[in-house]
Amino acid sequence: MATQEQNRQFRLAARPVGLPKRSDWDLTSEAIPEPGEGQVLVRITYISLDPAMRGWMNDARSYAPPVQIGAVMRAYAAGHVVKSRHPDFKEGDCVVGVLGVQEYAVVDGKHLTKVDPNVVPLSAYVSVLGMTGMTAYFGLLDVGKPEPGQTVVVSGAAGAVGMLVGQIAKIKGCRVVGIAGGEAKCRYIVEELGFDAAIDYKLGPISTTLRELCPKGIDVYFDNVGGDILDACLAQLAMHARVVICGAISQYNSTERVKGPSNYMMLLVMRARMEGFLVMDYASRSAEAAREMAGWVREGKLKWRDDIVEGFETFPETFNTLFEGGNTGKLILKVGDGR
Ligand SMILES: NC(=O)c1ccc[n+]([C@@H]2O[C@H](COP(=O)([O-])OP(=O)(O)OC[C@H]3O[C@@H](n4cnc5c(N)ncnc54)[C@H](OP(=O)(O)O)[C@@H]3O)[C@@H](O)[C@H]2O)c1
């Protein structure tokens, strides 16, 4: 049992092969640290569970250094200030930052962002108004550059980023086709979120349905999954299409070589562009996106869904549900009593 005096943490115990196992994690407990000069002690309430965390567990070249064996797992999180030795923060403030998979974190104030739980609930600052929302906004609008009347296809469409991408594309006047796993998710994105159509990739190869639903081709493909779905979408590109490489979750646990797109010559045929992007490159513009997204939320044009799972100790199993399609919307781990 955790007491008030203890801070529980999930540390990386081993580099996983394939889907992470319980033995790849260590659940440890230590005294709650004291903040030093310029630092803030945060009690964590919501931990953002992101597919990218799987990549951070590998000892491989990437945009962020690997999490070291024995270190607390890296994660975005939201919580409340308990003690502050930084002039910009006081006890009770709501904050977000890279706080780790733990119950308390001490961080430099300069790495924290203060948020207002009166605008949206605190959890939404790790989803629609957090990194997830920024990913959908900048990936679609800045990289995908959709125009009214164009056809946008998004995979992982009932997931955190995907469901926002589809709705933003609708706000921008596009026709939107979502690709998701299972009938319930497909029904949800069409009936609740206003997508024009959905494809259940779990029913089998998607090429025929994709052709039927996108008879003039795909102008923007927002890729969250990679693999066969990326390949099928490449085959259906329209002239001057943009392919946004946001993620490739189908490959993250692969124990073989990453499956690259064999249809890449369609980029040449259709004079199309395929471009990867990282949300962190847009940090300096996040206020602009947050303002516009918050406006759409207020006007009821943009819905979001936080899939909140309770129980710090469930982290290893809850994290894995991302790779099994267990979540609809943003997967978040709720810590403590959630106050
Ligand atoms: N570039 C960036 O800066 C950036 C930032 C954030 C996220 N991302 C990427 O964006 C993508 C979505 O992230 P998210 O946080 O929104 O996660 P998410 O979509 O909420 O959750 C993952 C979803 O992926 C789907 N999935 C899992 N395995 C799959 C497979 N083998 N084939 C097809 N779909 C599969 C599952 O939905 P189904 O039930 O539909 O299969 C699952 O629910 C990820 O690739 C992530 O790495 C990139």
Side-chain angles (χ1 to χ4, degrees):
M1 270 290 277
T3 66
Q4 279 297 88
E5 290 72 42
Q6 291 292 300
N7 177 26
R8 289 185 300 169
Q9 306 165 311
F10 273 99
R11 294 171 182 272
L12 188 62
R15 303 230 174 262
V17 178
L19 190 69
K21 303 181 293 298
R22 185 87 198 195
S23 56
D24 295 327
W25 302 107
D26 261 343
L27 176 56
T28 60
S29 188
E30 63 177 34
I32 296 168
E34 282 294 322
E37 191 54 40
Q39 291 186 320
V40 176
L41 173 66
V42 181
R43 181 166 51 79
I44 294 172
T45 313
Y46 295 109
I47 299 175
S48 172
L49 299 187
D50 292 293
M53 292 162 71
R54 177 64 187 85
W56 303 338
M57 298 165 80
N58 295 337
D59 190 11
R61 183 173 169 232
S62 189
Y63 57 87
V67 174
Q68 295 303 309
I69 300 293
V72 174
M73 185 59 201
R74 185 187 300 143
Y76 289 91
H80 299 81
V81 172
V82 179
K83 277 186 200 167
S84 175
R85 295 188 62 193
H86 189 287
D88 294 349
F89 299 94
K90 59 176 191 319
E91 192 186 329
D93 280 349
C94 291
V95 290
V96 293
V98 181
L99 305 177
V101 183
Q102 54 186 342
E103 294 173 308
Y104 291 85
V106 161
V107 271
D108 280 355
K110 62 174 185 268
H111 297 314
L112 278 180
T113 305
K114 211 187 291 188
V115 296
D116 182 357
N118 297 311
V119 176
V120 286
L122 183 57
S123 61
Y125 287 101
V126 297
S127 64
V128 64
L129 294 191
M131 192 269 286
T132 299
M134 304 301 116
T135 304
Y137 183 91
F138 289 113
L140 179 67
L141 300 182
D142 213 68
V143 185
K145 297 189 181 354
E147 287 172 18
Q150 291 193 328
T151 297
V152 173
V153 173
V154 56
S155 54
V161 172
M163 69 165 58
L164 298 176
V165 166
Q167 293 181 82
I168 297 170
K170 285 304 297 178
I171 290 169
K172 295 293 175 183
C174 300
R175 230 186 116 251
V176 179
V177 177
I179 303 169
E183 203 231 327
K185 288 188 179 185
C186 287
R187 203 164 358 97
Y188 173 71
I189 60 176
V190 172
E191 292 178 7
E192 301 289 326
L193 304 183
F195 284 45
D196 295 286
I199 302 175
D200 178 359
Y201 76 90
K202 291 201 169 155
L203 292 178
I206 63 167
S207 298
T208 308
T209 319
L210 200 56
R211 228 178 359 258
E212 286 165 8
L213 289 175
C214 307
K216 295 185 194 152
I218 300 168
D219 297 293
V220 179
Y221 172 51
F222 192 105
D223 189 25
N224 284 316
V225 306
D228 292 335
I229 292 177
L230 169 59
D231 236 356
C233 289
L234 285 176
Q236 197 52 30
L237 293 183
M239 190 66 88
H240 302 302
R242 284 81 65 202
V243 177
V244 183
I245 303 296
C246 176
I249 194 167
S250 73
Q251 305 299 304
Y252 292 176
N253 287 306
S254 177
T255 51
E256 289 159 17
R257 285 172 63 124
V258 165
K259 187 180 183 319
S262 54
N263 285 336
Y264 84 97
M265 281 300 287
M266 288 308 287
L267 297 173
L268 183 156
V269 173
M270 303 314 286
R271 290 73 137 184
R273 178 164 61 78
M274 181 152 101
E275 185 175 340
F277 83 102
L278 266 181
V279 64
M280 58 178 68
D281 294 342
Y282 290 91
S284 64
R285 291 175 56 193
S286 61
E288 161 200 334
R291 217 171 19 250
E292 188 154 34
M293 300 273 285
W296 290 332
V297 166
R298 241 188 342 266
E299 293 161 21
K301 292 181 181 162
L302 185 64
K303 296 183 184 166
W304 86 97
R305 178 160 161 175
D306 292 340
D307 194 337
I308 298 176
V309 177
E310 295 197 28
F312 183 73
E313 61 290 344
T314 72
F315 165 70
E317 295 76 30
T318 305
F319 175 61
N320 281 1
T321 63
L322 283 171
F323 307 101
E324 294 152 353
N327 64 306
T328 300
K330 174 70 200 169
L331 186 63
I332 297 172
L333 190 65
K334 185 169 163 184
V335 180
D337 56 13
R339 278 183 297 122

PDB file of all heavy atoms in Angstrom, residues 65-88:
ATOM      1  N   PRO A  65      16.399  10.539 -26.440  1.00  0.00           N
ATOM      2  CA  PRO A  65      17.290   9.476 -25.963  1.00  0.00           C
ATOM      3  C   PRO A  65      16.496   8.331 -25.356  1.00  0.00           C
ATOM      4  O   PRO A  65      15.402   8.561 -24.812  1.00  0.00           O
ATOM      5  CB  PRO A  65      18.138  10.175 -24.884  1.00  0.00           C
ATOM      6  CG  PRO A  65      17.436  11.436 -24.555  1.00  0.00           C
ATOM      7  CD  PRO A  65      16.566  11.799 -25.707  1.00  0.00           C
ATOM      8  N   PRO A  66      17.003   7.098 -25.436  1.00  0.00           N
ATOM      9  CA  PRO A  66      16.270   5.984 -24.832  1.00  0.00           C
ATOM     10  C   PRO A  66      16.166   6.169 -23.323  1.00  0.00           C
ATOM     11  O   PRO A  66      17.064   6.735 -22.711  1.00  0.00           O
ATOM     12  CB  PRO A  66      17.140   4.766 -25.148  1.00  0.00           C
ATOM     13  CG  PRO A  66      18.308   5.221 -25.925  1.00  0.00           C
ATOM     14  CD  PRO A  66      18.271   6.698 -26.058  1.00  0.00           C
ATOM     15  N   VAL A  67      15.093   5.671 -22.742  1.00  0.00           N
ATOM     16  CA  VAL A  67      14.990   5.610 -21.279  1.00  0.00           C
ATOM     17  C   VAL A  67      16.005   4.564 -20.822  1.00  0.00           C
ATOM     18  O   VAL A  67      16.065   3.466 -21.389  1.00  0.00           O
ATOM     19  CB  VAL A  67      13.555   5.215 -20.858  1.00  0.00           C
ATOM     20  CG1 VAL A  67      13.466   4.999 -19.352  1.00  0.00           C
ATOM     21  CG2 VAL A  67      12.562   6.290 -21.305  1.00  0.00           C
ATOM     22  N   GLN A  68      16.805   4.927 -19.842  1.00  0.00           N
ATOM     23  CA  GLN A  68      17.853   3.999 -19.379  1.00  0.00           C
ATOM     24  C   GLN A  68      17.251   2.904 -18.496  1.00  0.00           C
ATOM     25  O   GLN A  68      16.249   3.135 -17.816  1.00  0.00           O
ATOM     26  CB  GLN A  68      18.925   4.762 -18.610  1.00  0.00           C
ATOM     27  CG  GLN A  68      19.692   5.754 -19.470  1.00  0.00           C
ATOM     28  CD  GLN A  68      20.359   5.094 -20.686  1.00  0.00           C
ATOM     29  OE1 GLN A  68      21.071   4.098 -20.547  1.00  0.00           O
ATOM     30  NE2 GLN A  68      20.112   5.623 -21.876  1.00  0.00           N
ATOM     31  N   ILE A  69      17.876   1.740 -18.528  1.00  0.00           N
ATOM     32  CA  ILE A  69      17.441   0.666 -17.617  1.00  0.00           C
ATOM     33  C   ILE A  69      17.597   1.174 -16.172  1.00  0.00           C
ATOM     34  O   ILE A  69      18.625   1.752 -15.817  1.00  0.00           O
ATOM     35  CB  ILE A  69      18.322  -0.597 -17.819  1.00  0.00           C
ATOM     36  CG1 ILE A  69      18.219  -1.116 -19.257  1.00  0.00           C
ATOM     37  CG2 ILE A  69      17.944  -1.687 -16.804  1.00  0.00           C
ATOM     38  CD1 ILE A  69      16.888  -1.664 -19.649  1.00  0.00           C
ATOM     39  N   GLY A  70      16.553   0.994 -15.397  1.00  0.00           N
ATOM     40  CA  GLY A  70      16.576   1.454 -14.005  1.00  0.00           C
ATOM     41  C   GLY A  70      15.971   2.833 -13.807  1.00  0.00           C
ATOM     42  O   GLY A  70      15.697   3.240 -12.685  1.00  0.00           O
ATOM     43  N   ALA A  71      15.758   3.543 -14.922  1.00  0.00           N
ATOM     44  CA  ALA A  71      15.202   4.906 -14.802  1.00  0.00           C
ATOM     45  C   ALA A  71      13.674   4.856 -14.740  1.00  0.00           C
ATOM     46  O   ALA A  71      13.047   3.920 -15.254  1.00  0.00           O
ATOM     47  CB  ALA A  71      15.648   5.749 -15.997  1.00  0.00           C
ATOM     48  N   VAL A  72      13.086   5.883 -14.141  1.00  0.00           N
ATOM     49  CA  VAL A  72      11.627   6.027 -14.142  1.00  0.00           C
ATOM     50  C   VAL A  72      11.178   6.224 -15.588  1.00  0.00           C
ATOM     51  O   VAL A  72      11.783   6.982 -16.341  1.00  0.00           O
ATOM     52  CB  VAL A  72      11.202   7.249 -13.291  1.00  0.00           C
ATOM     53  CG1 VAL A  72       9.698   7.494 -13.411  1.00  0.00           C
ATOM     54  CG2 VAL A  72      11.607   7.054 -11.842  1.00  0.00           C
ATOM     55  N   MET A  73      10.122   5.494 -15.989  1.00  0.00           N
ATOM     56  CA  MET A  73       9.637   5.593 -17.366  1.00  0.00           C
ATOM     57  C   MET A  73       9.188   7.022 -17.668  1.00  0.00           C
ATOM     58  O   MET A  73       8.486   7.645 -16.879  1.00  0.00           O
ATOM     59  CB  MET A  73       8.471   4.615 -17.587  1.00  0.00           C
ATOM     60  CG  MET A  73       7.990   4.565 -19.018  1.00  0.00           C
ATOM     61  SD  MET A  73       9.324   4.082 -20.165  1.00  0.00           S
ATOM     62  CE  MET A  73       8.668   4.722 -21.708  1.00  0.00           C
ATOM     63  N   ARG A  74       9.609   7.504 -18.838  1.00  0.00           N
ATOM     64  CA  ARG A  74       9.238   8.859 -19.268  1.00  0.00           C
ATOM     65  C   ARG A  74       7.765   8.897 -19.685  1.00  0.00           C
ATOM     66  O   ARG A  74       7.288   7.964 -20.361  1.00  0.00           O
ATOM     67  CB  ARG A  74      10.126   9.232 -20.458  1.00  0.00           C
ATOM     68  CG  ARG A  74       9.959  10.655 -20.965  1.00  0.00           C
ATOM     69  CD  ARG A  74      10.771  10.851 -22.251  1.00  0.00           C
ATOM     70  NE  ARG A  74      12.182  10.614 -22.050  1.00  0.00           N
ATOM     71  CZ  ARG A  74      12.976  10.033 -22.960  1.00  0.00           C
ATOM     72  NH1 ARG A  74      12.516   9.641 -24.117  1.00  0.00           N
ATOM     73  NH2 ARG A  74      14.249   9.845 -22.707  1.00  0.00           N
ATOM     74  N   ALA A  75       7.060   9.935 -19.303  1.00  0.00           N
ATOM     75  CA  ALA A  75       5.663  10.095 -19.734  1.00  0.00           C
ATOM     76  C   ALA A  75       5.217  11.534 -19.494  1.00  0.00           C
ATOM     77  O   ALA A  75       5.686  12.188 -18.553  1.00  0.00           O
ATOM     78  CB  ALA A  75       4.744   9.156 -18.945  1.00  0.00           C
ATOM     79  N   TYR A  76       4.311  11.989 -20.338  1.00  0.00           N
ATOM     80  CA  TYR A  76       3.632  13.261 -20.063  1.00  0.00           C
ATOM     81  C   TYR A  76       2.614  13.007 -18.960  1.00  0.00           C
ATOM     82  O   TYR A  76       2.036  11.914 -18.869  1.00  0.00           O
ATOM     83  CB  TYR A  76       2.880  13.763 -21.299  1.00  0.00           C
ATOM     84  CG  TYR A  76       3.781  14.255 -22.404  1.00  0.00           C
ATOM     85  CD1 TYR A  76       4.219  13.399 -23.410  1.00  0.00           C
ATOM     86  CD2 TYR A  76       4.189  15.577 -22.448  1.00  0.00           C
ATOM     87  CE1 TYR A  76       5.058  13.848 -24.429  1.00  0.00           C
ATOM     88  CE2 TYR A  76       5.019  16.039 -23.458  1.00  0.00           C
ATOM     89  CZ  TYR A  76       5.446  15.171 -24.440  1.00  0.00           C
ATOM     90  OH  TYR A  76       6.271  15.616 -25.436  1.00  0.00           O
ATOM     91  N   ALA A  77       2.371  14.016 -18.147  1.00  0.00           N
ATOM     92  CA  ALA A  77       1.378  13.847 -17.087  1.00  0.00           C
ATOM     93  C   ALA A  77       0.861  15.205 -16.643  1.00  0.00           C
ATOM     94  O   ALA A  77       1.461  16.249 -16.945  1.00  0.00           O
ATOM     95  CB  ALA A  77       1.999  13.102 -15.906  1.00  0.00           C
ATOM     96  N   ALA A  78      -0.257  15.162 -15.936  1.00  0.00           N
ATOM     97  CA  ALA A  78      -0.850  16.381 -15.383  1.00  0.00           C
ATOM     98  C   ALA A  78      -1.058  16.163 -13.891  1.00  0.00           C
ATOM     99  O   ALA A  78      -1.329  15.040 -13.443  1.00  0.00           O
ATOM    100  CB  ALA A  78      -2.186  16.673 -16.064  1.00  0.00           C
ATOM    101  N   GLY A  79      -0.943  17.221 -13.124  1.00  0.00           N
ATOM    102  CA  GLY A  79      -1.145  17.089 -11.688  1.00  0.00           C
ATOM    103  C   GLY A  79      -1.242  18.435 -10.999  1.00  0.00           C
ATOM    104  O   GLY A  79      -1.481  19.463 -11.646  1.00  0.00           O
ATOM    105  N   HIS A  80      -1.062  18.397  -9.662  1.00  0.00           N
ATOM    106  CA  HIS A  80      -1.200  19.603  -8.848  1.00  0.00           C
ATOM    107  C   HIS A  80       0.104  19.896  -8.123  1.00  0.00           C
ATOM    108  O   HIS A  80       0.773  18.975  -7.657  1.00  0.00           O
ATOM    109  CB  HIS A  80      -2.299  19.411  -7.797  1.00  0.00           C
ATOM    110  CG  HIS A  80      -3.637  19.141  -8.394  1.00  0.00           C
ATOM    111  ND1 HIS A  80      -4.029  17.899  -8.839  1.00  0.00           N
ATOM    112  CD2 HIS A  80      -4.666  19.976  -8.628  1.00  0.00           C
ATOM    113  CE1 HIS A  80      -5.241  17.983  -9.333  1.00  0.00           C
ATOM    114  NE2 HIS A  80      -5.663  19.229  -9.214  1.00  0.00           N
ATOM    115  N   VAL A  81       0.395  21.171  -7.998  1.00  0.00           N
ATOM    116  CA  VAL A  81       1.593  21.570  -7.260  1.00  0.00           C
ATOM    117  C   VAL A  81       1.363  21.356  -5.762  1.00  0.00           C
ATOM    118  O   VAL A  81       0.343  21.768  -5.208  1.00  0.00           O
ATOM    119  CB  VAL A  81       1.922  23.054  -7.546  1.00  0.00           C
ATOM    120  CG1 VAL A  81       3.040  23.543  -6.637  1.00  0.00           C
ATOM    121  CG2 VAL A  81       2.279  23.240  -9.016  1.00  0.00           C
ATOM    122  N   VAL A  82       2.320  20.664  -5.147  1.00  0.00           N
ATOM    123  CA  VAL A  82       2.254  20.422  -3.702  1.00  0.00           C
ATOM    124  C   VAL A  82       3.170  21.400  -2.966  1.00  0.00           C
ATOM    125  O   VAL A  82       2.823  21.947  -1.924  1.00  0.00           O
ATOM    126  CB  VAL A  82       2.683  18.964  -3.379  1.00  0.00           C
ATOM    127  CG1 VAL A  82       2.633  18.706  -1.886  1.00  0.00           C
ATOM    128  CG2 VAL A  82       1.802  17.975  -4.116  1.00  0.00           C
ATOM    129  N   LYS A  83       4.373  21.601  -3.511  1.00  0.00           N
ATOM    130  CA  LYS A  83       5.324  22.563  -2.933  1.00  0.00           C
ATOM    131  C   LYS A  83       6.031  23.252  -4.078  1.00  0.00           C
ATOM    132  O   LYS A  83       6.380  22.591  -5.063  1.00  0.00           O
ATOM    133  CB  LYS A  83       6.408  21.822  -2.125  1.00  0.00           C
ATOM    134  CG  LYS A  83       6.042  21.459  -0.724  1.00  0.00           C
ATOM    135  CD  LYS A  83       7.263  20.885  -0.024  1.00  0.00           C
ATOM    136  CE  LYS A  83       6.814  20.087   1.176  1.00  0.00           C
ATOM    137  NZ  LYS A  83       7.885  19.265   1.726  1.00  0.00           N
ATOM    138  N   SER A  84       6.260  24.539  -3.929  1.00  0.00           N
ATOM    139  CA  SER A  84       6.956  25.243  -5.005  1.00  0.00           C
ATOM    140  C   SER A  84       8.098  26.084  -4.470  1.00  0.00           C
ATOM    141  O   SER A  84       7.946  26.813  -3.489  1.00  0.00           O
ATOM    142  CB  SER A  84       5.972  26.141  -5.761  1.00  0.00           C
ATOM    143  OG  SER A  84       6.679  26.904  -6.715  1.00  0.00           O
ATOM    144  N   ARG A  85       9.226  25.980  -5.163  1.00  0.00           N
ATOM    145  CA  ARG A  85      10.341  26.892  -4.902  1.00  0.00           C
ATOM    146  C   ARG A  85      10.682  27.622  -6.200  1.00  0.00           C
ATOM    147  O   ARG A  85      11.827  27.894  -6.518  1.00  0.00           O
ATOM    148  CB  ARG A  85      11.549  26.122  -4.339  1.00  0.00           C
ATOM    149  CG  ARG A  85      11.218  25.528  -2.958  1.00  0.00           C
ATOM    150  CD  ARG A  85      12.421  24.933  -2.301  1.00  0.00           C
ATOM    151  NE  ARG A  85      13.473  25.927  -2.056  1.00  0.00           N
ATOM    152  CZ  ARG A  85      14.725  25.611  -1.721  1.00  0.00           C
ATOM    153  NH1 ARG A  85      15.066  24.346  -1.579  1.00  0.00           N
ATOM    154  NH2 ARG A  85      15.626  26.552  -1.526  1.00  0.00           N
ATOM    155  N   HIS A  86       9.614  27.835  -6.983  1.00  0.00           N
ATOM    156  CA  HIS A  86       9.733  28.582  -8.232  1.00  0.00           C
ATOM    157  C   HIS A  86       8.694  29.699  -8.193  1.00  0.00           C
ATOM    158  O   HIS A  86       7.527  29.443  -7.865  1.00  0.00           O
ATOM    159  CB  HIS A  86       9.476  27.653  -9.438  1.00  0.00           C
ATOM    160  CG  HIS A  86       9.781  28.295 -10.763  1.00  0.00           C
ATOM    161  ND1 HIS A  86       8.978  29.258 -11.328  1.00  0.00           N
ATOM    162  CD2 HIS A  86      10.827  28.127 -11.616  1.00  0.00           C
ATOM    163  CE1 HIS A  86       9.505  29.645 -12.482  1.00  0.00           C
ATOM    164  NE2 HIS A  86      10.628  28.970 -12.675  1.00  0.00           N
ATOM    165  N   PRO A  87       9.089  30.925  -8.541  1.00  0.00           N
ATOM    166  CA  PRO A  87       8.173  32.072  -8.368  1.00  0.00           C
ATOM    167  C   PRO A  87       6.886  31.985  -9.186  1.00  0.00           C
ATOM    168  O   PRO A  87       5.875  32.594  -8.811  1.00  0.00           O
ATOM    169  CB  PRO A  87       9.016  33.280  -8.827  1.00  0.00           C
ATOM    170  CG  PRO A  87      10.166  32.708  -9.600  1.00  0.00           C
ATOM    171  CD  PRO A  87      10.415  31.335  -9.050  1.00  0.00           C
ATOM    172  N   ASP A  88       6.880  31.231 -10.276  1.00  0.00           N
ATOM    173  CA  ASP A  88       5.685  31.196 -11.141  1.00  0.00           C
ATOM    174  C   ASP A  88       4.627  30.193 -10.691  1.00  0.00           C
ATOM    175  O   ASP A  88       3.549  30.129 -11.291  1.00  0.00           O
ATOM    176  CB  ASP A  88       6.091  30.837 -12.587  1.00  0.00           C
ATOM    177  CG  ASP A  88       6.951  31.913 -13.214  1.00  0.00           C
ATOM    178  OD1 ASP A  88       7.047  33.001 -12.612  1.00  0.00           O
ATOM    179  OD2 ASP A  88       7.539  31.648 -14.283  1.00  0.00           O
TER     180      ASP A  88
END
